[in-house]
Amino acid sequence: MRTQVAIIGAGPAGVLLSHLLAAEGVDSVVLDTRSEEYVASRIRAGILEQSTVDLLRDVGLGERLGREGDRHRGIHLQWPGERHHLDFVDLVGRSVWVYGQTEVQKDLVDAAHARGQQLVHEVSDTALHDLATDRPSVTFTDADGVPQRLEADVVAGCDGSFGPSRGAVPEGVRRTWARTYPYSWLGILADVAPSTDELIYAWHPDGFALHSMRSSTVSRFYLQVPNGTDLADWPDDRIWDGLATRLGHGQDGWRLATGAITDRSVLPMRSFVQQPMRHGRLFLAGDAAHIVPPTGAKGLNLAVADVALLAPALVALLAGDHALADAYSATALRRVWRCTHFSWWMTTMLHAGDDPFDRELQLAQLRWVVSSEAGAAGLAENYAGLPIGF
Ligand code: FAS
Ligand code: PHB
């Protein structure tokens, strides 16, 4: 097999990259260990920032998003007895959209099928070769158990936090930073109309809670739980009681509606950055290069921003112009570290620990953010997203 760009990973980063390359006449093949159905079914991100929406619209992927996406002006920040709305449009002139990653993935894959994109699923034994040459390749075993070699001009590592690409950067070349937070998120999907117009991020002494949503009939909730939490210890009643307490059920007449829980999972909270995001003819994008705690709603949006930078860099490289490819890692990492900081800042501000001094600091920071236009604009600027290429 031969192509111009071998893409490892058929998640949002990999399939969006193939879409942007195809628009410029560059051929690619996308590989994934999982089935197309499995990748499409993963419940993950829910919020698209302005830059992501603008990009998807610009490249012909915005039609269903425009019909089914829900534009939000801002978010609510809450702590016991108080709830404050931050209006991003008033503060920084940018919005966010509620449109689940599963929907983005569906739109990407539908477009891939429509253009005849090669998506090779259920592969195994993926390995990267000769990355320091101009003839790299990827070997793998296909779904029929047949060993394959995909020769390419470039390899794009879009294989998430557990793929082989990040490890293909030699130890002496790569540098990594990692932080594991002392709590996780228990996330649920529920068949119940949202009890709020826009997302509620709630600080509470029992732990953080988030009221998000997927549509007018499906809500998405998260609860801060200890690391290693067993879902068996959280029956439905305990989940709803915890959400009601932390989100302020009964506060100023507000009520939390409950419903059938259709999906539940525990998500550890991690920050991770690897640099450089390029080694020879290997380029990393998305979770393959960085992980952020989801408190800032940055994971998916950062993957999109990487690919928006990488696609034109690869098109130019394949035409003989190396400038954008040589600048890719440094340019991408500026945004990666900005989003890594913001995600850390939102996470440490909103998740109560046991230390009473830290709790007072968190409440003081929340009071400042909701009462100071500068503080509110700082959150809005980061949450609603910086322009691509920041
Ligand atoms: P992805 O992980 O989506 O895709 C990588 C793909 O590579 C996968 O399909 C995988 O099967 C494939 N792959 C792995 N190893 C391979 C190999 N050896 N060979 C071939 N293919 C291989 N972000 C938010 O903003 N909000 C959230 O609420 C949120 N919740 C999340 C919950 C979970 C459980 C996880 C894991 C992530 C969550 N994220 C969230 C972050 C998430 O949305 C990611 O940022 C986003 O999926 C990144 O997209 P990709 O970089 O394409 O990586
Ligand atoms: C979600 O809806 O899944 C979601 C929303 C905002 C976040 C994290 C997750 O910060």
Side-chain angles (χ1 to χ4, degrees), residues 76-112:
H76 300 279
L77 288 179
Q78 170 167 324
W79 57 93
E82 300 202 32
R83 180 181 294 175
H84 299 267
H85 185 253
L86 297 189
D87 189 304
F88 300 157
V89 178
D90 290 345
L91 287 161
V92 296
R94 295 165 77 80
S95 310
V96 291
W97 274 257
V98 172
Y99 193 69
Q101 180 170 329
T102 50
E103 306 313 318
V104 175
Q105 186 71 21
K106 181 179 180 337
D107 295 340
L108 285 167
V109 170
D110 287 350

Side-chain angles (χ1 to χ4, degrees), residues 177-246:
W177 293 262
R179 173 157 300 178
T180 299
Y181 296 85
Y183 32 74
S184 298
W185 276 12
L186 189 160
I188 66 168
L189 268 184
D191 283 341
V192 61
S195 300
T196 178
D197 57 344
E198 297 187 336
L199 273 62
I200 303 171
Y201 286 78
W203 182 96
H204 191 276
D206 292 357
F208 169 76
L210 171 59
H211 187 334
S212 183
M213 68 273 301
R214 286 294 179 273
S215 69
S216 60
T217 59
V218 177
S219 293
R220 176 76 165 156
F221 296 95
Y222 297 94
L223 280 164
Q224 174 186 341
V225 293
N227 286 335
T229 285
D230 182 344
L231 278 171
D233 296 336
W234 283 82
D236 291 10
D237 289 348
R238 186 181 181 194
I239 292 175
W240 288 119
D241 289 348
L243 287 169
T245 300
R246 301 179 193 190

